[in-house]
Amino acid sequence: MKTINGKKIASNLNEELKETLQKLKIKEDITPTLVVILIGDNPASKIYVKNKKIKADEVGINSSVKILDSKVTEKQLLDYILKLNQDKEVDGILVQLPLPSHIRTNKVIDAISYEKDVDGFNSKNIGLLAQGRPYVTPCTPLGCLKLLQTEIELFGSRAIVLGRSNIVGRPMSYLLTNHNATVTLAHSKTKNLKELCKEHDIIIAATGIPKMIKKDWVKEKAIIIDVGINQIEDKDNNKVLVGDVDYNDVFSRVRAITPVPGGVGPMTIHCLMENTLKLSMLRRKLKYNF
Ligand code: NAP
């Protein structure tokens, strides 16, 4: 029984990244640049964007936030992305999701040059990942992978991913496959999910259903990565964040589990910073080896 301390692991990785960025500045005079586009005034999106900017400042990445009105047209947004694609100073472009309903998310994501697609969401990057030759890997799955690698040899392991979204579940299943795990990708139409979960050494939960996974779903000594971030009210009517796994219920049965908060979240932001550095080096044909 062990908690996987994502906050601490991310903090150590951020320190290493900071040093790498300092060396890059001294040796090559390069400071990677990230542009985040925020549309409208969704409160959760504003917080996510603010946290990304704070972390970029901390590790030494140039970052700017472009705020666009919620009534911006799809064409205006696409034109702006095109400008950023052509801007030699920009290494990474991130469009904060969700977008207003009059804008097609896929169209926007695919408009970002794959070489600047720091989230790794566009169809070229997902295709490359699915083929086992990734250029840039989506941040949340990459963060989950790094956490798993602190605990288990993935080679030959059996992993189940709950959730098949384009930003978490699907890319997670490709990434685990690329690392030689045998992967089951489950979703809301999967039958006998509880029994299926019990057959796996690793559970990655990304359904958005609070505390869905209980002790009797879990194989003895399994490792659980809980991606879910769900706000619920506790018995005193206080708002609290919980994952997709009932942490207290499963704890005595598992080998290791990530908490919510303090598990996957900090790793997602770390991987965004790492991806920005990676893209800036790849674009300049510099050696990238971490
Ligand atoms: P999403 O787009 O809503 O996808 C949820 C997935 O879960 C869908 O594929 C859905 O299946 C599946 N699902 C729903 N009910 C299920 C059930 N009863 N059994 C099995 N599968 C079920 O969500 P998302 O964007 O992937 O996010 C998932 C969770 O992770 C959310 O809580 C989100 O807040 C969190 N998240 C955290 C981070 C982080 O950095 N920690 C990053 C991203 C997301 P269908 O496809 O059949 O509908």
Side-chain angles (χ1 to χ4, degrees):
M1 289 165 273
K2 177 185 168 189
T3 300
I4 306 173
N5 190 339
K7 195 172 169 190
K8 185 151 180 253
I9 295 169
S11 165
N12 293 340
L13 290 172
N14 285 330
E15 279 308 311
E16 285 172 24
L17 189 66
K18 196 172 168 178
E19 281 173 27
T20 307
L21 285 158
Q22 282 165 353
K23 284 183 199 148
L24 188 66
K25 174 76 187 155
I26 293 165
K27 272 177 75 175
E28 310 279 352
D29 196 25
I30 293 169
T31 304
T33 295
L34 170 68
V35 177
V36 178
I37 304 173
L38 173 63
I39 299 152
D41 50 13
N42 177 324
S45 293
K46 277 175 155 174
I47 294 172
Y48 292 140
V49 167
K50 187 175 155 208
N51 289 340
K52 286 166 186 173
K53 170 98 182 99
I54 290 172
K55 193 53 70 190
D57 291 346
E58 260 174 46
V59 298
I61 283 175
N62 279 333
S63 70
S64 63
V65 179
K66 174 76 174 174
I67 300 172
L68 299 173
D69 190 88
S70 61
K71 293 198 179 67
V72 69
T73 65
E74 185 179 280
K75 167 98 173 56
Q76 286 168 325
L77 177 58
L78 294 175
D79 287 347
Y80 183 63
I81 290 172
L82 202 66
K83 245 173 66 184
L84 295 176
N85 284 343
Q86 288 161 354
D87 187 336
K88 289 196 166 48
E89 300 300 315
V90 174
D91 296 297
I93 305 168
L94 184 155
V95 179
Q96 185 65 45
L97 303 178
L99 298 178
S101 56
H102 66 280
I103 297 177
R104 289 169 291 178
T105 304
N106 286 341
K107 184 99 183 152
V108 169
I109 298 302
D110 278 350
I112 302 171
S113 157
Y114 84 98
E115 290 178 297
K116 297 190 177 188
D117 173 30
V118 73
D119 259 338
F121 289 164
N122 81 21
S123 44
K124 173 148 181 169
N125 279 320
I126 292 291
L128 289 170
L129 178 68
Q131 288 182 345
R133 48 190 192 112
Y135 188 79
V136 61
T137 303
C139 305
T140 300
L142 184 58
C144 294
L145 178 83
K146 286 175 189 281
L147 292 177
L148 277 173
Q149 285 172 327
T150 65
E151 293 298 327
I152 188 172
E153 169 60 69
L154 288 168
F155 188 102
S157 65
R158 292 200 65 195
I160 183 163
V161 180
L162 276 70
R164 57 176 162 182
S165 72
N166 289 337
I167 63 173
V168 187
R170 273 178 217 265
M172 186 77 241
S173 71
Y174 304 144
L175 192 56
L176 289 167
T177 304
N178 295 346
H179 283 78
N180 297 312
T182 301
V183 182
T184 303
L185 181 57
H187 45 77
S188 68
K189 311 295 182 290
T190 302
K191 290 191 176 139
N192 303 325
L193 189 54
K194 177 175 158 182
E195 297 308 316
L196 204 55
C197 281
K198 274 197 246 175
E199 293 171 11
H200 291 80
D201 310 309
I202 296 168
I203 299 176
I204 315 270
T207 63
I209 301 181
K211 298 189 180 184
M212 169 181 159
I213 295 167
K214 307 284 182 193
K215 191 175 184 171
D216 59 351
W217 289 51
V218 177
K219 182 179 172 184
E220 191 84 43
K221 303 240 176 306
I223 294 178
I224 302 187
I225 304 292
D226 191 352
V227 183
I229 304 177
N230 312 293
Q231 197 179 61
I232 60 165
E233 283 191 2
D234 67 9
K235 57 183 182 347
D236 304 317
N237 297 332
N238 296 316
K239 286 192 171 132
V240 289
L241 288 183
V242 297
D244 295 350
V245 181
D246 191 334
Y247 182 92
N248 291 331
D249 195 45
V250 305
F251 193 74
S252 61
R253 193 169 178 83
V254 299
R255 186 163 122 200
I257 179 169
T258 57
V260 177
V264 175
M267 291 299 290
T268 296
I269 300 199
H270 164 74
C271 290
L272 175 64
M273 300 303 131
E274 194 183 292
N275 278 353
T276 308
L277 169 61
K278 179 178 182 178
L279 292 185
S280 80
M281 294 182 77
L282 289 177
R283 203 163 61 87
R284 293 175 175 87
K285 312 260 181 286
L286 293 170
K287 203 162 156 257
Y288 176 84
N289 61 356
F290 63 92

